[in-house]
Amino acid sequence: MPRAVIISPSDDYHTLALINVPTPTPKPQELLIKLTAAALNHRDLYIRQNLYPGISFEHPLLADGCGTVLPHPNSAAGPTTISKRVILNPGAGWHSDPIGPESTYTVLGGTSTTPLGTLQEMIAVPADDVQLAPEHLSDEEAAALPLAGLTAWRAFNTKSANAVAGRNILVTGIGGGVAIMVLLFAVANGCNVFVTSSSPEKIARAQAMGAKGGVDYADDDGWPRKLKALLPRERPFLDAVIDGAGGDIVGNTWRLLKLGGVVVSYGMTTLGQPTLPMQAVMKNIEVKGSTMGSQREFAEMVQFVREKKIRPVVDRVVGGIEDLEAIEGLFEALKSGRQFGKLVVRIQGETNGLAVLSKI
């Protein structure tokens, strides 16, 4: 029988458990997929910390996955999809409306809203919810793309509307999967990207990937001033801020933003409450929330990655769904914030030499 990793209830931090599950039977509009790699996101940590709604102790964890389509007489698999590598859309219920989901939106992994999760060996999903994996990506890189790539694409391309060459973009908290994907998308569009981090090593890595500069956000009083000094003379302001930390990001950046500038928030990893100073209101600064994205945006994002040969950054890979100790190590890295890029479980096969890609 295929295996899957779920959580078992515990007082303050739910434990990992390996179980056997029935082989899924795909419906006529579904594909049967043999998963080869899956990746962690912060929501998986929140699920284990009991900080996420609708937690399930029966359904597999994780929303990111890459795998190979298997033939099945009941499925939608045909000559163009059988044996092809695919990646899964991590959400369901949102087709194309740019405003938001047309129906109840669910995210894969570890909740009662859907039985699906990617930390398992086999899965059946609607054919419309997968895309062919970009050919230049390894399985680990492909598994690292879906949730971070989709969230970054909507926050930057759709919500900020600043995917324009020459624009000045601030990406906060560089090192997380979404922030890195925003950096990669913005650089590919010819933007001037600036980053924040409390780690000089992470700022240096971001600059090696195309960022124009970075500042230490732990310098509570000085980082906006230092960032201002980095902006180009011919365009001495920010066009947009893409933020996943929360807290007083508007208060720290409204002076740097242009008239009518945009702050897009896709998360609050610091759990700090945002503020909106009246000065920002008078400057017509827009604050926009953004979460995940539609099926159409997912397809657009994957095609952009394919065309631009963008590679998601994988921090480290552990091999074997049965190695719960190694998977636990990925959660500890996520909890500490040490990672630069995505943390990946190789479910089946070799790890393609991607054992550890970062020591930050």
Side-chain angles (χ1 to χ4, degrees):
M1 296 178 71
R3 297 171 297 176
V5 175
I6 62 171
I7 52 172
S8 294
S10 184
D11 290 338
D12 54 1
Y13 191 59
H14 303 312
T15 57
L16 301 176
L18 182 68
I19 62 169
N20 293 320
V21 294
T23 300
T25 300
K27 297 175 182 177
Q29 300 304 315
E30 293 182 335
L31 298 174
L32 180 63
I33 298 169
K34 179 181 180 181
L35 290 164
T36 53
L40 277 64
N41 293 283
H42 271 97
R43 71 180 294 274
D44 304 305
L45 180 60
Y46 298 152
I47 287 171
R48 293 193 63 189
Q49 294 172 326
N50 210 34
L51 298 174
Y52 201 86
I55 292 172
S56 169
F57 298 106
E58 300 176 358
H59 301 153
L61 289 171
L62 307 194
D64 281 332
C66 172
T68 303
V69 177
L70 298 177
H72 193 283
N74 295 338
S75 77
T80 60
T81 54
I82 291 175
S83 300
K84 297 294 186 181
R85 289 192 317 146
V86 294
I87 55 175
L88 282 59
N89 187 334
W94 190 353
H95 182 262
S96 60
D97 192 333
I99 300 300
E102 298 90 350
S103 59
T104 301
Y105 189 67
T106 59
V107 183
L108 275 60
T111 72
S112 58
T113 58
T114 174
L116 302 177
T118 58
L119 195 49
Q120 60 179 324
E121 293 176 317
M122 303 277 281
I123 192 170
V125 297
D128 289 343
D129 286 340
V130 306
Q131 291 288 323
L132 292 176
E135 297 78 7
H136 66 285
L137 300 182
S138 68
D139 287 357
E140 293 89 348
E141 291 168 327
L145 178 61
L147 195 148
L150 178 59
T151 303
W153 183 264
R154 179 166 173 80
F156 175 58
N157 287 65
T158 305
K159 301 290 281 192
S160 87
N162 272 281
V164 179
R167 299 285 175 91
N168 293 332
I169 311 296
L170 175 63
V171 181
T172 65
I174 199 67
V178 178
I180 290 175
M181 291 308 302
V182 175
L183 167 63
L184 292 171
F185 292 156
V187 168
N189 276 285
C191 299
N192 302 313
V193 184
F194 303 88
V195 301
T196 70
S197 175
S198 61
S199 166
E201 293 83 6
K202 290 184 179 182
I203 292 175
R205 289 195 64 177
Q207 288 178 287
M209 295 166 59
K212 299 296 184 181
V215 293
D216 184 351
Y217 65 72
D219 184 357
D220 293 334
D221 298 324
W223 76 259
R225 173 177 48 81
K226 293 177 180 177
L227 177 59
K228 182 176 177 60
L230 296 177
L231 297 175
R233 290 184 180 181
E234 65 276 10
R235 198 176 183 86
F237 51 77
L238 293 173
D239 293 278
V241 177
I242 314 297
D243 176 63
D248 195 21
I249 186 62
V250 180
N252 281 320
T253 59
W254 70 265
R255 292 178 179 86
L256 300 177
L257 280 158
K258 69 179 181 182
L259 188 68
V262 182
V263 177
V264 179
S265 172
Y266 62 83
M268 293 185 184
T269 56
T270 65
L271 301 181
Q273 292 299 311
T275 59
L276 183 61
M278 192 61 195
Q279 297 97 322
V281 175
M282 298 300 292
K283 203 173 178 181
N284 284 283
I285 289 170
E286 297 184 68
V287 180
K288 299 182 178 183
S290 184
T291 179
M292 305 284 283
S294 67
Q295 193 178 85
R296 175 180 293 175
E297 287 168 318
F298 186 64
E300 292 171 348
M301 180 273 294
V302 174
Q303 183 59 26
F304 187 79
V305 168
R306 178 178 287 111
E307 291 175 355
K308 299 294 184 180
K309 296 293 189 290
I310 291 172
R311 290 186 177 276
V313 177
V314 175
D315 182 276
R316 70 190 70 177
V317 179
V318 299
I321 194 173
E322 73 284 350
D323 194 345
L324 297 186
E325 182 177 355
I327 297 172
E328 189 67 68
L330 297 185
F331 275 96
E332 289 302 311
L334 190 63
K335 189 187 301 184
S336 70
R338 297 192 306 268
Q339 83 282 2
F340 188 91
K342 297 285 284 187
L343 303 163
V344 178
V345 179
R346 180 75 189 190
I347 296 173
Q348 302 181 65
E350 300 298 324
T351 60
N352 295 345
L354 293 175
V356 177
L357 298 183
S358 172
K359 297 182 179 178
I360 292 175

